[in-house]
Amino acid sequence: MNDIDHQHQSLHHTDIYQHGEPLQPQQLTPLTELVLTHIDNNYPKLQLYVAGIVYGLIATIVCLIIGFIVPLSITAKLLLILFILITAALIIRLTYLKALTICYGVFKGELIMRQGLFWISTTALPYTRLQHVNLSQGPLERQYQLVTLKCFSAGSGEAEINLPGLNADTAEHLRQHLLHQAAENQTTNANVITASLDSQHG
């Protein structure tokens, strides 16, 4: 083995990342139960109202087409119409139940949103990554004084958290709080970086 190979081998051994001992399950950070807040009660009602109109209208049109245009026996038409009505009612019901699952939590270092009926999704946005907070309100939401809060993180073109069904006053208060927390975290991070650079050059 020549000197060059020996040097490469020495570098290979010294550059290996030392992972240390693996942690046991009991050594992991304990999982704490999240205390989350449900959105305004008017939002599930609004979703039920909108879904009832949309899917009810679609089901009515399809049933009329089946009843007057599709060449089937009366029994087949009745069974098909019954199936369509049951499907529409089920979709409307699931839309309402899904809206009931939306909840959020404002914590010291992050905002958390959870939703989902069968597939539950939990999204956490640390304030250190929060860059912009937007409030939007559609014409139907305006009737119920509801607002959708959208949180954007740095480098993301789409909202990382899209939280609907908030009371207008609550949403504005939450928006100001989130922006304040984001500004504080950015200032703290900037001070830490500055102090670190000063210590290196000192």
Side-chain angles (χ1 to χ4, degrees), residues 132-136 148-152 159-163:
H132 178 61
V133 182
N134 181 38
L135 299 180
S136 64
T148 298
L149 182 138
K150 299 180 180 181
C151 297
F152 298 84
E160 191 159 337
I161 287 185
N162 194 342
L163 180 60

Side-chain angles (χ1 to χ4, degrees), residues 61-72:
I61 293 174
V62 174
C63 289
L64 289 175
I65 293 174
I66 293 173
F68 294 100
I69 298 177
V70 178
L72 295 173

Side-chain angles (χ1 to χ4, degrees), residues 133-194:
V133 182
N134 181 38
L135 299 180
S136 64
Q137 186 182 54
L140 292 178
E141 289 177 314
R142 195 174 299 115
Q143 296 297 321
Y144 289 88
Q145 293 296 311
L146 297 176
V147 171
T148 298
L149 182 138
K150 299 180 180 181
C151 297
F152 298 84
S153 61
S156 175
E158 298 182 357
E160 191 159 337
I161 287 185
N162 194 342
L163 180 60
L166 294 176
N167 176 270
D169 294 335
T170 302
E172 177 58 30
H173 187 193
L174 181 56
R175 184 186 72 85
Q176 293 183 17
H177 173 78
L178 294 176
L179 291 176
H180 177 71
Q181 292 295 323
E184 278 195 347
N185 278 275
Q186 290 173 4
T187 302
T188 301
N189 290 340
N191 292 337
V192 170
I193 294 174
T194 302

Side-chain angles (χ1 to χ4, degrees), residues 6-71:
H6 180 72
Q7 291 176 0
H8 285 172
Q9 187 176 6
S10 299
L11 288 174
H12 175 72
H13 287 293
T14 56
D15 290 343
I16 293 178
Y17 177 76
Q18 300 298 324
H19 295 277
E21 294 296 327
L23 294 177
Q24 300 301 318
Q26 61 271 19
Q27 294 178 289
L28 300 178
T29 303
L31 178 64
T32 56
E33 185 69 23
L34 295 177
V35 180
L36 302 179
T37 303
H38 285 277
I39 57 175
D40 194 283
N41 292 329
N42 285 323
Y43 182 75
K45 297 177 183 177
L46 177 60
Q47 291 298 298
L48 179 64
Y49 173 73
V50 173
I53 293 178
V54 173
Y55 292 108
L57 182 61
I58 293 174
T60 301
I61 293 174
V62 174
C63 289
L64 289 175
I65 293 174
I66 293 173
F68 294 100
I69 298 177
V70 178

Side-chain angles (χ1 to χ4, degrees), residues 58-97:
I58 293 174
T60 301
I61 293 174
V62 174
C63 289
L64 289 175
I65 293 174
I66 293 173
F68 294 100
I69 298 177
V70 178
L72 295 173
S73 64
I74 295 179
T75 302
K77 288 183 178 182
L78 290 176
L79 290 175
L80 190 55
I81 289 174
L82 180 62
F83 172 77
I84 292 172
L85 293 177
I86 292 176
T87 302
L90 182 60
I91 293 175
I92 294 170
R93 177 66 176 172
L94 291 177
T95 301
Y96 172 73
L97 293 177

